[in-house]
Each structure stands twice: as C-alpha cells, then as structure tokens.
Amino acid sequence: MTKQGIGNMRFFWIPLLALLLLAQTPVVWAKDRLILLAGQSNMMGRGKVSELPATYKTTPANVKYFYQGREHPLAKFAWFGPEVSFAHDVARAFPHDTIIMVKQAATGSLIQQWQPGQALYKGLLRQVGFATPKDTTLQADAILWMQGESDAQESIGVAKQYGQRFANLVTHLRQDLDSPNSAFIYGQVNLDHPEHAEAIASVRNQQQAAQRSVSRAVMVSTDGLGKQDDGIHYNAQGQMELGKRFAKAYIQQMK
C-alpha cells in the first residue's frame, strides 16, 4: 500500500475510534438535589461535635448546608444531628451533584405544631426560600423527618391522631414545595418509658402503617442507636448511625 493510502486509512480510523470510545463513555448529568430535614430535638441533634471523627468535621465540596436562615459548614456548632453523616454518604453516592440541605427543627415540638398554617410549617418553607434562588424552580428530592417523641409522651388521645396529622403534613408539604414525588423518609420513635407505653406503641404503629398508606413514605428503624442517659436523645454515635440510615434509604429511593 502506498504512503498516501496508509495516511487516508489513518484519517478514517482515528475519528471512528473516537466515536466508539464516546459511545462507551456514560454521560453524567449533574443536578441540584434539594433535601429538607425537619423535626424535633433528635433532628436538631444532641451529639457532641467534639466526638466526631476528623473526616466528619469538614463539609464535602458538593454539599451546601442551610440552617437558621443561612449557609453554614457542617459540624460548626457544639452539637450535631443526622445531617453530618447523611451529607458525607450522599455526597459520595452522587459526586457530580450539588447536595442542598435545609434544616429546621424545634425541641419538644408536637406534630400538630408542624401542620399547614402553623409557625413551624411556615418557618420550614421560609428556610427553603433562603436556600434557593428566587428565579429558579427546584423541586425537593426528599424530606427527612425525625419527630414523634413528644406525641408519644402525651395522652393516648393525642397519640392516636399522629397518623392522620402525619399524612396531612406530607400531602401539604409536597404541594407547597411543588414536589409531588419527593420521598418522605422518617425515623421511627424509639422510647422505653413504661408510663407512656400505650401512647408510644400507638405512635410507632401509626408510623409503621404510614409506609403503606402514604406514597413514597419510607420508615427508618432507630432500634439500637446509642442514646444519652435520658433515654430520649441520641448520642454522637447514635446520631452518626441515624444519618447513615437516612442516607441509605435516600440513596435507594433515588437509584
């Protein structure tokens, strides 16, 4: 074959090879993932930041964490909740995406205080507004919910209304966030207080049943999580494990 013929073949094969390589390379589409975190003290967090591993004291490059109306690094304050380990696991699972986390929590709050029109509900929507530009529409991927301990320590009459109020909260949040398909991932109440045994069992049973009655509602077990001496609040190890369980459920829902 002449040198000219060999050169022509090179011009043919090089573009063809490039096309074949491109065809075998998966296309990665980056996206913004909006995730809300809400609830009472176990969402606010009672884990000591001083007990976090060093790797958890930094914020992954693709994570933005909004709390109390502004963006903060993770583990900035003396105490932390499930957001720390959750953020690290989700950031690794979706390295090309931006993870936007918005947290609103109130110690000792009842689910009635989170109903549409109530101050905590309005506050949560306001926090989302601080985290998302006004000229963009960003649907929520998921809502993480850790609440119910207060309802489980009230009268049995209050406890029995938990399931209905839970479903109402989910429905209205999805509507107001324009996110009808968002996952609602929640931790099950985990208390061992004999004086409230009936109310605790009622709330736990309603949380269990919500997985069947509310679309894309996923319950996360809190059994075995480390607690503080009060038997209510999770310690640092418990909070890290809770965040990892939330992350596992979220990743499964998204993938």
Side-chain angles (χ1 to χ4, degrees):
M1 183 178 293
T2 66
K3 290 183 178 180
Q4 183 178 1
I6 293 173
N8 289 338
M9 289 186 67
R10 285 176 181 168
F11 282 120
F12 172 78
W13 282 109
I14 291 174
L16 179 60
L17 180 60
L19 287 172
L20 289 172
L21 289 173
L22 285 172
Q24 295 177 20
T25 303
V27 177
V28 177
W29 300 102
K31 64 173 287 187
D32 290 341
R33 295 179 174 273
L34 175 61
I35 302 167
L36 279 61
L37 301 89
Q40 57 181 107
S41 54
N42 273 324
M43 179 57 80
M44 183 177 290
R46 295 288 182 85
K48 293 181 180 179
V49 167
S50 60
E51 297 178 10
L52 277 171
T55 53
Y56 276 170
K57 292 182 179 180
T58 60
T59 303
N62 60 329
V63 168
K64 295 180 179 295
Y65 173 57
F66 290 84
Y67 184 50
Q68 297 178 342
R70 63 183 64 184
E71 185 177 355
H72 295 283
L74 291 171
K76 175 184 177 180
F77 304 105
W79 309 94
F80 72 95
E83 69 279 351
V84 174
S85 53
F86 175 86
H88 281 265
D89 283 5
V90 172
R92 281 194 297 271
F94 304 100
H96 302 287
D97 296 347
T98 300
I99 316 301
I100 304 170
M101 297 166 50
V102 180
K103 188 166 91 164
Q104 161 94 342
T107 298
S109 55
L110 294 161
I111 198 169
Q112 174 60 29
Q113 295 174 273
W114 289 91
Q115 295 301 291
Q118 297 296 316
L120 291 176
Y121 185 92
K122 292 179 180 178
L124 178 58
L125 296 181
R126 190 162 55 248
Q127 296 298 322
V128 174
F130 294 145
T132 54
K134 290 181 173 55
D135 57 346
T136 62
T137 300
L138 181 61
Q139 291 188 327
D141 257 4
I143 302 155
L144 310 186
W145 179 250
M146 188 65 239
Q147 189 278 335
E149 292 91 345
S150 290
D151 297 79
Q153 295 178 88
E154 288 286 323
S155 68
I156 187 62
V158 170
K160 284 183 176 180
Q161 297 180 66
Y162 191 88
Q164 179 181 354
R165 289 170 172 168
F166 177 90
N168 191 52
L169 171 65
V170 176
T171 298
H172 282 85
L173 267 181
R174 286 173 172 168
Q175 288 176 354
D176 289 337
L177 293 168
D178 192 23
S179 305
N181 298 315
S182 62
F184 201 96
I185 305 170
Y186 58 100
Q188 189 177 31
V189 164
N190 178 5
L191 297 171
D192 185 18
H193 290 184
E195 67 274 24
H196 301 295
E198 186 179 5
I200 292 169
S202 177
V203 171
R204 283 175 61 88
N205 290 340
Q206 290 171 84
Q207 289 178 325
Q208 186 80 37
Q211 296 182 107
R212 300 184 293 273
S213 59
V214 179
S215 65
R216 294 203 74 190
V218 181
M219 190 183 76
V220 170
S221 171
T222 54
D223 292 347
L225 297 183
K227 287 185 178 180
Q228 297 182 5
D229 292 340
D230 61 10
I232 299 173
H233 299 106
Y234 302 120
N235 58 23
Q237 290 297 325
Q239 283 288 3
M240 285 186 280
E241 178 59 27
L242 177 60
K244 293 176 92 48
R245 293 182 188 184
F246 272 131
K248 182 179 179 180
Y250 171 80
I251 293 165
Q252 288 176 342
Q253 285 293 305
M254 296 304 109
K255 290 189 173 181

